[in-house]
């Protein structure tokens, strides 16, 4: 959380990457494995951005590896958001499910990922201080929270390259409880 607050303080009110999205701050980091098809300038830009935010990437990857080691080596992008608000949408470029983690002082039971499982069933996936796995190719959005008085950061781990996975189910039950709390703070062993 400390690392995300530091990013927010240096990245104030920046959402230059996806201007149609309602968020105070929004950034996408991409994995080196996704850079191969990029031209030289786009590759250099992606490398520089990852280098500037390497600590966030490394902490996020450690959190992901604690839940899904295989996916931690496969996801191609990490969306980093601050006070994201969204309307229902479908992630058309994803080749499989994504993981979401949210941190901050927003109230428990709010700010999760809402997923339309069927025409009559909507699930609320709790991502506060834990990773939730959702197939973003189903309609989904962030559940309401008090955006005026609370802070909500999120990390969305997703894959847009690689082997396509069959759509569904909309949500997944993680067999172990993975609550992070403050474990996403500065790693004392990091350089």
């Amino acid at each position: 959380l400390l690392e995300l607050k530091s990013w927010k303080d240096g990245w104030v009110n920046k959402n230059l990457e996806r201007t149609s999205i309602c968020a105070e701050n929004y950034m996408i980091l991409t994995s080196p494995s996704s850079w191969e098809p990029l031209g030289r300038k786009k590759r250099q830009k992606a490398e520089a951005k990852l280098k500037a935010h390497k600590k966030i990437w490394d902490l996020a990857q450690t959190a992901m590896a604690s839940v899904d080691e295989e996916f931690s080596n496969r996801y191609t992008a990490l969306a980093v958001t601050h006070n994201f608000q969204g309307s229902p949408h479908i992630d058309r470029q994803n080749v499989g499910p994504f993981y979401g983690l949210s941190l901050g002082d927003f109230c428990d039971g709010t700010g999760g990922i809402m997923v339309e499982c069927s025409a009559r069933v909507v699930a609320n996936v709790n991502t506060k201080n834990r990773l939730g796995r959702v197939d973003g190719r189903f309609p989904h959005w962030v559940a309401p929270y008090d955006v005026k008085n609370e802070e909500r950061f999120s990390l969305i781990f997703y894959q847009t390259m690689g082997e396509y996975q069959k759509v569904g189910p909309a949500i997944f039950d993680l067999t172990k409880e993975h609550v992070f709390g403050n474990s996403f703070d500065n790693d004392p062993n990091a350089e």
Side-chain angles (χ1 to χ4, degrees):
L1 185 57
L2 293 176
E3 205 48 42
L4 293 171
K5 286 183 177 188
S6 176
W7 162 74
K8 176 200 75 164
D9 292 342
W11 193 269
V12 178
N13 294 322
K14 289 189 180 176
N15 179 11
L16 306 174
E17 298 187 34
R18 303 220 15 222
T19 55
S20 64
I21 287 178
C22 183
E24 286 183 37
N25 300 290
Y26 187 96
M27 169 179 72
I28 298 172
L29 299 174
T30 56
S31 72
S33 66
S34 70
W35 299 343
E36 190 175 318
L38 299 178
R40 186 175 55 86
K41 285 188 177 187
K42 285 186 178 182
R43 181 185 182 113
Q44 288 173 339
K45 186 177 177 181
E47 285 181 61
K49 191 191 316 181
L50 184 59
K51 184 178 180 181
H53 303 286
K54 183 103 170 82
K55 196 162 195 175
I56 291 174
W57 180 270
D58 290 345
L59 288 167
Q61 192 159 39
T62 298
M64 176 52 60
S66 74
V67 174
D68 188 337
E69 179 81 33
E70 183 184 334
F71 193 73
S72 75
N73 295 310
R74 199 173 67 228
Y75 69 90
T76 57
L78 176 69
V80 182
T81 77
H82 171 240
N83 285 354
F84 180 94
Q85 301 172 71
S87 57
H89 65 281
I90 294 172
D91 298 331
R92 297 188 189 284
Q93 294 182 351
N94 289 13
V95 297
F98 73 84
Y99 281 89
L101 167 66
S102 56
L103 302 162
D105 65 2
F106 60 99
C107 291
D108 291 343
T110 68
I113 300 174
M114 304 297 291
V115 186
E116 188 177 290
C117 301
S118 70
R120 296 180 185 199
V121 176
V122 175
N124 184 349
V125 179
N126 182 4
T127 60
K128 185 173 183 181
N129 299 328
R130 69 192 78 219
L131 281 156
R133 188 174 180 211
V134 170
D135 194 327
R137 297 166 296 179
F138 285 84
H140 63 282
W141 60 97
V142 173
Y145 63 98
D146 186 354
V147 72
K148 291 184 180 185
N149 298 304
E150 298 172 336
E151 268 192 325
R152 180 184 179 276
F153 293 91
S154 67
L155 301 173
I156 306 297
F157 305 76
Y158 60 101
Q159 184 179 3
T160 58
M161 302 171 71
E163 187 177 333
Y164 183 84
Q165 295 175 34
K166 182 180 170 189
V167 174
I171 60 173
F172 298 80
D173 181 22
L174 300 179
T175 55
K176 291 191 236 173
E177 187 72 16
H178 294 281
V179 179
F180 293 100
N182 292 327
S183 67
F184 201 79
D185 290 345
N186 288 324
D187 180 354
N189 300 319
E191 293 179 13

